[in-house]
Amino acid sequence: MKSFLALLPFLMLATTVRAEQVVAAISHPSVEISSSFEGETLTLFGNIEGGDGGPSPYEVAVVVTGPLETVTVWEKARIFGIWSNTEAFSFSSVPSFLQILSSRPLEQIAAQDRLLELYLRPEAYLVPADGGTKAARRYGGELIRLMREEGRYGLRENAVLFLSDSLYTARLDIPSHASPGPYVAQTYIFRDGEVVARKTDGFSVRKVGFERFLAQASTRSPLIYGVVSVLLALAIGWLGGVIFRR
């Protein structure tokens, strides 16, 4: 009985200490693409709850990925004075959109191996964990460069801002050429280089109006899509002829 009473304060203390958890949300559950769509900015925000209030500050990293696709990278060479496609390398299950946001430079948050393990580096999606072949590394690096130039891939360190010790926010830019489909936002909370909490959220990008009709018809009703395309071409050609005749 005396032993139990001696342990009671420690048991009470243990019940009051909870592991960290993050409550996160996204400002818009869906992004609608119409003929006038020029991109949109979403707000990511969250609050870190629980924990022991230790001296080390929290750090946040968020990775947002879009629909997966198969991408082929071609290498061009000049043959008899003409630029032609020569060699090619294909990557499967590649995110069509990838944005990594963090509260500090990633190398100050966790070790490089841990970042790759959590897919917090663009190369983690394109180069195998063992380094892959020389061709995979070379073409993977070129694909990341091209995706960055198109605004599909990005790494924005210091983009997550803390409004208090536990409340944070970040802005996510969706480009005008974003691919329709589901998007996933994976949030990681770090302390002393280790993940102490994580949260998965999502939103969708979808076409609306006439653009949605064309996109659906091209896959579900190719005959209707072809007829509409021909009629549109004829109408535009006739209208152009009328305008220039005047």
Side-chain angles (χ1 to χ4, degrees), residues 37-87:
F37 181 73
E38 297 181 353
E40 188 167 342
T41 299
L42 306 182
T43 301
L44 313 178
F45 51 92
N47 186 54
I48 306 167
E49 300 179 348
D52 56 2
S56 300
Y58 291 113
E59 302 295 346
V60 178
V62 183
V63 54
V64 182
T65 55
L68 302 180
E69 58 185 12
T70 298
V71 180
T72 300
V73 181
W74 290 88
E75 181 177 6
K76 289 187 176 182
R78 197 176 183 89
I79 303 176
F80 300 110
I82 301 176
W83 286 101
S84 304
N85 293 328
T86 54
E87 299 181 1

Side-chain angles (χ1 to χ4, degrees), residues 151-175:
R152 296 178 180 269
Y153 282 18
L155 172 61
R156 296 174 54 206
E157 297 173 317
N158 299 315
V160 179
L161 304 177
F162 273 93
L163 305 179
S164 69
D165 291 340
S166 61
L167 181 64
Y168 66 88
T169 183
R171 295 167 65 88
L172 174 68
D173 295 325
I174 305 297

Side-chain angles (χ1 to χ4, degrees), residues 7-229:
L7 291 174
L8 185 57
F10 297 97
L11 294 175
M12 294 177 62
L13 178 61
T15 58
T16 60
V17 176
R18 297 186 295 117
E20 290 93 338
Q21 61 180 1
V22 56
V23 179
I26 303 174
S27 58
H28 295 80
S30 65
V31 176
E32 297 182 347
I33 298 178
S34 62
S35 58
S36 60
F37 181 73
E38 297 181 353
E40 188 167 342
T41 299
L42 306 182
T43 301
L44 313 178
F45 51 92
N47 186 54
I48 306 167
E49 300 179 348
D52 56 2
S56 300
Y58 291 113
E59 302 295 346
V60 178
V62 183
V63 54
V64 182
T65 55
L68 302 180
E69 58 185 12
T70 298
V71 180
T72 300
V73 181
W74 290 88
E75 181 177 6
K76 289 187 176 182
R78 197 176 183 89
I79 303 176
F80 300 110
I82 301 176
W83 286 101
S84 304
N85 293 328
T86 54
E87 299 181 1
F89 197 94
S90 295
F91 297 89
S92 60
S93 300
V94 175
S96 58
F97 178 86
L98 173 64
Q99 293 290 324
I100 301 174
L101 317 174
S102 63
S103 57
R104 294 179 64 189
L106 289 173
E107 62 270 14
Q108 299 179 17
I109 295 179
Q112 179 72 7
D113 292 344
R114 186 58 170 156
L115 296 173
L116 291 172
E117 180 183 346
L118 296 173
Y119 289 86
L120 287 171
R121 287 291 191 186
E123 54 268 27
Y125 295 85
L126 298 170
V127 180
D130 59 359
T133 64
K134 183 178 180 180
R137 295 192 298 271
R138 181 163 65 92
Y139 284 99
E142 284 300 307
L143 179 56
I144 292 174
R145 181 183 64 81
L146 293 173
M147 292 294 227
R148 280 177 169 165
E149 291 179 355
E150 294 180 3
R152 296 178 180 269
Y153 282 18
L155 172 61
R156 296 174 54 206
E157 297 173 317
N158 299 315
V160 179
L161 304 177
F162 273 93
L163 305 179
S164 69
D165 291 340
S166 61
L167 181 64
Y168 66 88
T169 183
R171 295 167 65 88
L172 174 68
D173 295 325
I174 305 297
S176 58
H177 52 271
S179 300
Y183 285 64
V184 177
Q186 180 73 52
T187 302
Y188 296 98
I189 309 299
F190 289 86
R191 172 175 275 181
D192 296 327
E194 297 295 332
V195 176
V196 297
R198 65 182 72 194
K199 178 74 161 46
T200 302
D201 297 284
F203 62 94
S204 63
V205 174
R206 61 190 184 94
K207 293 184 177 181
V208 296
F210 189 64
E211 288 76 12
R212 183 183 182 188
F213 166 76
L214 289 179
Q216 292 180 342
S218 64
T219 55
R220 301 179 183 177
S221 304
L223 178 60
I224 296 177
Y225 175 76
V227 171
V228 171
S229 299

